[in-house]
Amino acid sequence: FTAISGGTVTFAPDSTSSQSVNVAITNDALDENDETYTLTLSGLTATGAVTLAGPTATGTIVDDDPTPTLSVTSQSLAEGNAGTSTMSFVVSLDAVSGRAVSFNAATADGTATSGDNDYVALPSTPFTIAAGSTSLTIPITINGDTPYEGDESFSLNLTGVSNATPASISGVGTILDDDQQPTTT
């Protein structure tokens, strides 16, 4: 809003009417909480028995912007023959938000399993995209090996989304097998 100061409100003699004080509100496109401001009246000058009752009032700016949409991308990565590598899932908003967006993320086995040591499982874990940001990255550790097993996949699922509208909340992680297929003779 645009701050005001030093204005004058005048009532005609013998008047019981009300007067308006206008405060200019600045529009924006951020989804945010409703916001408040205070208007304070002071410096009453009058003749007769006039008193100022309730010299402050609160104005509320009601947010009318849409909630951003939350989604996660699918990823793929060659597994490697040894050690670990990182598959990075990007969780993003389709618009900047004036509020922090929170959610939980967890992996779920598919043809790739954490029990077979294809990847390191992520138990349900809370994450937050800070107000003013549009994305964050969730790293998942992929374990390299040498047996031929074909491409394998697992999912990263988002739950408990707050301050955003869930869109695509499940990303598929594909571990690309880079090992030689055995031959028989």
Side-chain angles (χ1 to χ4, degrees):
F1 68 95
T2 302
I4 59 173
S5 65
T8 302
V9 176
T10 304
F11 290 90
D14 298 322
S15 173
T16 59
S17 65
S18 61
Q19 298 288 328
S20 295
V21 176
N22 295 317
V23 176
I25 304 302
T26 305
N27 292 325
D28 65 28
L30 289 178
D31 176 48
E32 55 198 348
N33 295 323
D34 293 347
E35 299 165 309
T36 60
Y37 62 91
T38 302
L39 176 69
T40 303
L41 302 177
S42 63
L44 175 67
T45 57
T47 56
V50 176
T51 59
L52 185 60
T56 62
T58 300
T60 300
I61 303 169
V62 178
D63 183 55
D64 62 355
D65 301 304
T67 302
T69 301
L70 181 76
S71 61
V72 60
T73 59
S74 292
Q75 298 295 319
S76 61
L77 182 70
E79 72 179 349
N81 292 330
T84 62
S85 54
T86 301
M87 183 179 290
S88 298
F89 287 87
V90 178
V91 179
S92 59
L93 299 171
D94 68 343
V96 175
S97 179
R99 300 189 288 174
V101 173
S102 61
F103 58 92
N104 292 325
T107 55
D109 288 350
T111 54
T113 61
S114 59
D116 286 341
N117 212 21
D118 293 320
Y119 71 100
V120 176
L122 176 70
S124 184
T125 304
F127 290 92
T128 300
I129 299 176
S133 296
T134 57
S135 66
L136 65 76
T137 301
I138 299 176
I140 302 297
T141 300
I142 306 300
N143 296 312
D145 62 22
T146 55
Y148 175 78
E149 52 200 350
D151 294 347
E152 300 173 301
S153 63
F154 63 95
S155 61
L156 178 73
N157 302 309
L158 309 181
T159 59
V161 178
S162 67
N163 297 330
T165 302
S168 173
I169 57 171
S170 183
V172 175
T174 303
I175 303 170
L176 303 173
D177 188 28
D178 57 0
D179 302 308
Q180 189 75 21
Q181 183 173 8
T183 58
T184 57
T185 57

mmCIF file of all heavy atoms in Angstrom, residues 138-156:
data_model
loop_
_atom_site.group_PDB
_atom_site.id
_atom_site.type_symbol
_atom_site.label_atom_id
_atom_site.label_comp_id
_atom_site.label_asym_id
_atom_site.label_seq_id
_atom_site.Cartn_x
_atom_site.Cartn_y
_atom_site.Cartn_z
ATOM 1 N N ILE A 138 16.187 -32.539 -5.037
ATOM 2 C CA ILE A 138 16.259 -33.640 -4.076
ATOM 3 C C ILE A 138 17.206 -34.689 -4.648
ATOM 4 O O ILE A 138 16.917 -35.297 -5.680
ATOM 5 C CB ILE A 138 14.864 -34.247 -3.813
ATOM 6 C CG1 ILE A 138 13.925 -33.188 -3.221
ATOM 7 C CG2 ILE A 138 14.979 -35.465 -2.895
ATOM 8 C CD1 ILE A 138 12.507 -33.650 -3.025
ATOM 9 N N PRO A 139 18.364 -34.902 -3.994
ATOM 10 C CA PRO A 139 19.339 -35.881 -4.490
ATOM 11 C C PRO A 139 19.036 -37.293 -3.982
ATOM 12 O O PRO A 139 18.696 -37.482 -2.824
ATOM 13 C CB PRO A 139 20.663 -35.374 -3.915
ATOM 14 C CG PRO A 139 20.266 -34.687 -2.636
ATOM 15 C CD PRO A 139 18.885 -34.114 -2.870
ATOM 16 N N ILE A 140 19.154 -38.263 -4.889
ATOM 17 C CA ILE A 140 18.990 -39.677 -4.532
ATOM 18 C C ILE A 140 20.273 -40.394 -4.955
ATOM 19 O O ILE A 140 20.717 -40.264 -6.102
ATOM 20 C CB ILE A 140 17.769 -40.309 -5.231
ATOM 21 C CG1 ILE A 140 16.487 -39.552 -4.884
ATOM 22 C CG2 ILE A 140 17.657 -41.797 -4.888
ATOM 23 C CD1 ILE A 140 16.094 -39.573 -3.420
ATOM 24 N N THR A 141 20.856 -41.161 -4.049
ATOM 25 C CA THR A 141 22.107 -41.872 -4.322
ATOM 26 C C THR A 141 21.831 -43.146 -5.114
ATOM 27 O O THR A 141 20.997 -43.970 -4.722
ATOM 28 C CB THR A 141 22.830 -42.215 -3.007
ATOM 29 O OG1 THR A 141 23.113 -40.990 -2.324
ATOM 30 C CG2 THR A 141 24.128 -42.965 -3.260
ATOM 31 N N ILE A 142 22.548 -43.292 -6.232
ATOM 32 C CA ILE A 142 22.458 -44.475 -7.091
ATOM 33 C C ILE A 142 23.744 -45.277 -6.899
ATOM 34 O O ILE A 142 24.841 -44.721 -6.924
ATOM 35 C CB ILE A 142 22.303 -44.065 -8.581
ATOM 36 C CG1 ILE A 142 21.113 -43.106 -8.766
ATOM 37 C CG2 ILE A 142 22.193 -45.295 -9.472
ATOM 38 C CD1 ILE A 142 19.774 -43.664 -8.342
ATOM 39 N N ASN A 143 23.606 -46.583 -6.709
ATOM 40 C CA ASN A 143 24.761 -47.448 -6.494
ATOM 41 C C ASN A 143 25.164 -48.126 -7.804
ATOM 42 O O ASN A 143 24.323 -48.705 -8.491
ATOM 43 C CB ASN A 143 24.436 -48.523 -5.447
ATOM 44 C CG ASN A 143 24.145 -47.905 -4.097
ATOM 45 O OD1 ASN A 143 24.893 -47.060 -3.613
ATOM 46 N ND2 ASN A 143 23.051 -48.315 -3.483
ATOM 47 N N GLY A 144 26.454 -48.035 -8.132
ATOM 48 C CA GLY A 144 26.963 -48.683 -9.337
ATOM 49 C C GLY A 144 27.214 -50.163 -9.112
ATOM 50 O O GLY A 144 27.475 -50.606 -7.999
ATOM 51 N N ASP A 145 27.109 -50.942 -10.197
ATOM 52 C CA ASP A 145 27.436 -52.365 -10.142
ATOM 53 C C ASP A 145 27.779 -52.843 -11.552
ATOM 54 O O ASP A 145 27.661 -52.085 -12.515
ATOM 55 C CB ASP A 145 26.309 -53.190 -9.516
ATOM 56 C CG ASP A 145 25.001 -53.139 -10.298
ATOM 57 O OD1 ASP A 145 25.019 -52.837 -11.504
ATOM 58 O OD2 ASP A 145 23.945 -53.402 -9.699
ATOM 59 N N THR A 146 28.193 -54.099 -11.678
ATOM 60 C CA THR A 146 28.591 -54.620 -12.988
ATOM 61 C C THR A 146 27.682 -55.700 -13.562
ATOM 62 O O THR A 146 27.817 -56.013 -14.736
ATOM 63 C CB THR A 146 30.033 -55.173 -12.925
ATOM 64 O OG1 THR A 146 30.119 -56.137 -11.881
ATOM 65 C CG2 THR A 146 31.019 -54.049 -12.680
ATOM 66 N N PRO A 147 26.750 -56.292 -12.815
ATOM 67 C CA PRO A 147 25.877 -57.291 -13.451
ATOM 68 C C PRO A 147 24.927 -56.646 -14.456
ATOM 69 O O PRO A 147 24.410 -55.555 -14.237
ATOM 70 C CB PRO A 147 25.080 -57.894 -12.294
ATOM 71 C CG PRO A 147 25.820 -57.532 -11.056
ATOM 72 C CD PRO A 147 26.541 -56.256 -11.362
ATOM 73 N N TYR A 148 24.696 -57.337 -15.563
ATOM 74 C CA TYR A 148 23.706 -56.873 -16.532
ATOM 75 C C TYR A 148 22.324 -57.135 -15.935
ATOM 76 O O TYR A 148 22.011 -58.239 -15.517
ATOM 77 C CB TYR A 148 23.844 -57.623 -17.866
ATOM 78 C CG TYR A 148 22.752 -57.235 -18.833
ATOM 79 C CD1 TYR A 148 22.827 -56.043 -19.522
ATOM 80 C CD2 TYR A 148 21.637 -58.053 -19.016
ATOM 81 C CE1 TYR A 148 21.822 -55.650 -20.385
ATOM 82 C CE2 TYR A 148 20.626 -57.666 -19.879
ATOM 83 C CZ TYR A 148 20.716 -56.467 -20.555
ATOM 84 O OH TYR A 148 19.713 -56.076 -21.406
ATOM 85 N N GLU A 149 21.489 -56.116 -15.886
ATOM 86 C CA GLU A 149 20.152 -56.278 -15.296
ATOM 87 C C GLU A 149 19.083 -55.485 -16.035
ATOM 88 O O GLU A 149 17.931 -55.481 -15.637
ATOM 89 C CB GLU A 149 20.180 -55.886 -13.807
ATOM 90 C CG GLU A 149 20.784 -54.526 -13.542
ATOM 91 C CD GLU A 149 21.259 -54.337 -12.112
ATOM 92 O OE1 GLU A 149 20.965 -55.182 -11.256
ATOM 93 O OE2 GLU A 149 21.937 -53.338 -11.861
ATOM 94 N N GLY A 150 19.450 -54.782 -17.079
ATOM 95 C CA GLY A 150 18.477 -53.953 -17.793
ATOM 96 C C GLY A 150 18.197 -52.680 -17.015
ATOM 97 O O GLY A 150 18.625 -52.518 -15.870
ATOM 98 N N ASP A 151 17.511 -51.758 -17.660
ATOM 99 C CA ASP A 151 17.144 -50.508 -16.995
ATOM 100 C C ASP A 151 16.150 -50.809 -15.865
ATOM 101 O O ASP A 151 15.294 -51.687 -16.000
ATOM 102 C CB ASP A 151 16.509 -49.527 -17.977
ATOM 103 C CG ASP A 151 17.495 -49.052 -19.039
ATOM 104 O OD1 ASP A 151 18.704 -49.270 -18.889
ATOM 105 O OD2 ASP A 151 17.027 -48.469 -20.043
ATOM 106 N N GLU A 152 16.281 -50.074 -14.761
ATOM 107 C CA GLU A 152 15.397 -50.257 -13.610
ATOM 108 C C GLU A 152 14.864 -48.899 -13.184
ATOM 109 O O GLU A 152 15.490 -47.874 -13.425
ATOM 110 C CB GLU A 152 16.154 -50.902 -12.448
ATOM 111 C CG GLU A 152 16.719 -52.271 -12.784
ATOM 112 C CD GLU A 152 17.598 -52.807 -11.675
ATOM 113 O OE1 GLU A 152 18.594 -52.139 -11.330
ATOM 114 O OE2 GLU A 152 17.273 -53.887 -11.154
ATOM 115 N N SER A 153 13.710 -48.898 -12.526
ATOM 116 C CA SER A 153 13.135 -47.616 -12.118
ATOM 117 C C SER A 153 12.534 -47.673 -10.718
ATOM 118 O O SER A 153 12.228 -48.742 -10.204
ATOM 119 C CB SER A 153 12.061 -47.171 -13.113
ATOM 120 O OG SER A 153 10.999 -48.095 -13.137
ATOM 121 N N PHE A 154 12.412 -46.505 -10.123
ATOM 122 C CA PHE A 154 11.759 -46.303 -8.834
ATOM 123 C C PHE A 154 11.045 -44.960 -8.941
ATOM 124 O O PHE A 154 11.172 -44.250 -9.938
ATOM 125 C CB PHE A 154 12.781 -46.330 -7.678
ATOM 126 C CG PHE A 154 13.794 -45.219 -7.745
ATOM 127 C CD1 PHE A 154 13.595 -44.031 -7.039
ATOM 128 C CD2 PHE A 154 14.939 -45.336 -8.529
ATOM 129 C CE1 PHE A 154 14.521 -43.002 -7.107
ATOM 130 C CE2 PHE A 154 15.867 -44.304 -8.596
ATOM 131 C CZ PHE A 154 15.656 -43.139 -7.890
ATOM 132 N N SER A 155 10.291 -44.584 -7.920
ATOM 133 C CA SER A 155 9.597 -43.296 -7.982
ATOM 134 C C SER A 155 9.922 -42.437 -6.769
ATOM 135 O O SER A 155 10.289 -42.941 -5.705
ATOM 136 C CB SER A 155 8.080 -43.489 -8.105
ATOM 137 O OG SER A 155 7.574 -44.174 -6.991
ATOM 138 N N LEU A 156 9.804 -41.128 -6.981
ATOM 139 C CA LEU A 156 9.901 -40.154 -5.900
ATOM 140 C C LEU A 156 8.521 -39.528 -5.802
ATOM 141 O O LEU A 156 8.043 -38.911 -6.765
ATOM 142 C CB LEU A 156 10.954 -39.085 -6.183
ATOM 143 C CG LEU A 156 11.063 -38.013 -5.100
ATOM 144 C CD1 LEU A 156 11.749 -38.587 -3.858
ATOM 145 C CD2 LEU A 156 11.826 -36.796 -5.604
#
